[in-house]
Amino acid sequence: MRERHYFWIRYLPRDVDVGLLAGRCIKVLHGFLSAEDHVFYDEVGVSFPHWNIESVGHSIAFVSHNVKALNYFRQHPYFQMMSEDRLFEVSPILKVPQELPEVRFKRNQNIAKCFSGDKRRRLARAMRRAESRGELFQPELSITDREIEPFHHVFMSSQSSQQHYLLHIQKEEYVSRAESQFSRYGLATNKEYRGTVPDLSRCVP
């Protein structure tokens, strides 16, 4: 396995919306990877060192075996501005200790399907498709109970559409290391992207 490096960002104010700040950091990563996908795509993973039962925690970290990508990303103007305003503490690039266990932070899009707003949108979409085919729309009525593992969400916004949405994120522990394979959000997914990151809980103050 290739050697990895990381840097962390700690939110300095205690009374902040960590889901909002984490979302802004991930949005910066998404824009960075989308602009640089011919070089760095899927090579930067997100870790939440202070993830706990209540929230994603007061820090976020970015991990990669590509030190060039990591250093380039670390210099993003948003991080520099937040650091100068003493809202963020940004670490230097650090080497990942070999003995750390692996974790997987994944975006689970299936969670959104359990909420009524998403159900209404999918129902309306199915109705439009049926009408465009000239078919009678007959929705299937079913009640299912889903057991969902604990999750947190971060707040996102799209620059192109100006729409706001949530990323529902779950943490998997006791997993074997898997190289890269992250989405443009720096996260794993249920199937396509299965990358893991080191558990940095002992590495961030």
Side-chain angles (χ1 to χ4, degrees), residues 22-54:
R24 288 180 176 173
C25 291
I26 291 174
K27 180 181 178 180
V28 171
L29 176 65
H30 185 269
F32 172 78
L33 294 178
S34 297
E36 304 288 342
D37 60 350
H38 59 292
V39 182
F40 304 134
Y41 178 55
D42 90 355
E43 293 190 352
V44 182
V46 167
S47 182
F48 296 97
H50 296 142
W51 176 284
N52 57 72
I53 194 170
E54 296 178 348

Side-chain angles (χ1 to χ4, degrees), residues 12-194:
L12 294 178
R14 295 192 63 83
D15 187 20
V16 293
D17 188 331
V18 295
L20 179 64
L21 290 182
R24 288 180 176 173
C25 291
I26 291 174
K27 180 181 178 180
V28 171
L29 176 65
H30 185 269
F32 172 78
L33 294 178
S34 297
E36 304 288 342
D37 60 350
H38 59 292
V39 182
F40 304 134
Y41 178 55
D42 90 355
E43 293 190 352
V44 182
V46 167
S47 182
F48 296 97
H50 296 142
W51 176 284
N52 57 72
I53 194 170
E54 296 178 348
S55 73
V56 295
H58 268 69
S59 63
I60 189 170
F62 301 93
V63 183
S64 182
H65 57 76
N66 189 328
V67 180
K68 179 182 177 182
L70 211 57
N71 191 53
Y72 188 28
F73 174 57
R74 181 184 174 278
Q75 297 174 42
H76 193 280
Y78 176 71
F79 300 149
Q80 301 303 311
M81 177 191 71
M82 295 294 276
S83 179
E84 289 171 3
D85 290 343
R86 297 204 54 77
L87 298 173
F88 283 179
E89 179 183 0
V90 182
S91 79
I93 303 294
L94 303 164
K95 183 178 176 181
V96 173
Q98 292 291 331
E99 71 277 6
L100 296 182
E102 292 290 303
V103 292
R104 177 181 288 118
F105 291 101
K106 70 175 183 180
R107 179 192 183 190
N108 188 347
Q109 291 179 276
N110 291 330
I111 293 174
K113 297 176 183 178
C114 300
F115 298 104
S116 58
D118 186 79
K119 290 179 181 178
R120 285 195 298 271
R121 284 189 292 272
R122 287 187 288 120
L123 198 62
R125 189 163 56 241
M127 183 183 297
R128 289 194 299 270
R129 289 174 179 168
E131 290 175 350
S132 68
R133 296 192 299 265
E135 299 173 357
L136 178 65
F137 179 61
Q138 294 181 316
E140 294 183 7
L141 299 178
S142 62
I143 299 176
T144 57
D145 292 324
R146 296 188 182 185
E147 185 173 336
I148 302 174
E149 294 295 322
F151 68 91
H152 295 308
H153 55 248
V154 300
F155 300 92
M156 300 290 294
S157 61
S158 170
Q159 269 188 319
S160 56
S161 66
Q162 302 301 312
Q163 294 292 313
H164 299 281
Y165 58 100
L166 299 175
L167 296 183
H168 297 94
I169 303 173
Q170 293 176 308
K171 179 181 181 181
E172 295 180 1
E173 301 184 83
Y174 312 110
V175 295
S176 299
R177 179 177 171 182
E179 284 275 21
S180 293
Q181 299 179 338
F182 301 106
S183 72
R184 284 194 174 114
Y185 296 105
L187 300 166
T189 59
N190 288 331
K191 293 181 180 179
E192 185 177 1
Y193 301 103
R194 302 299 291 162

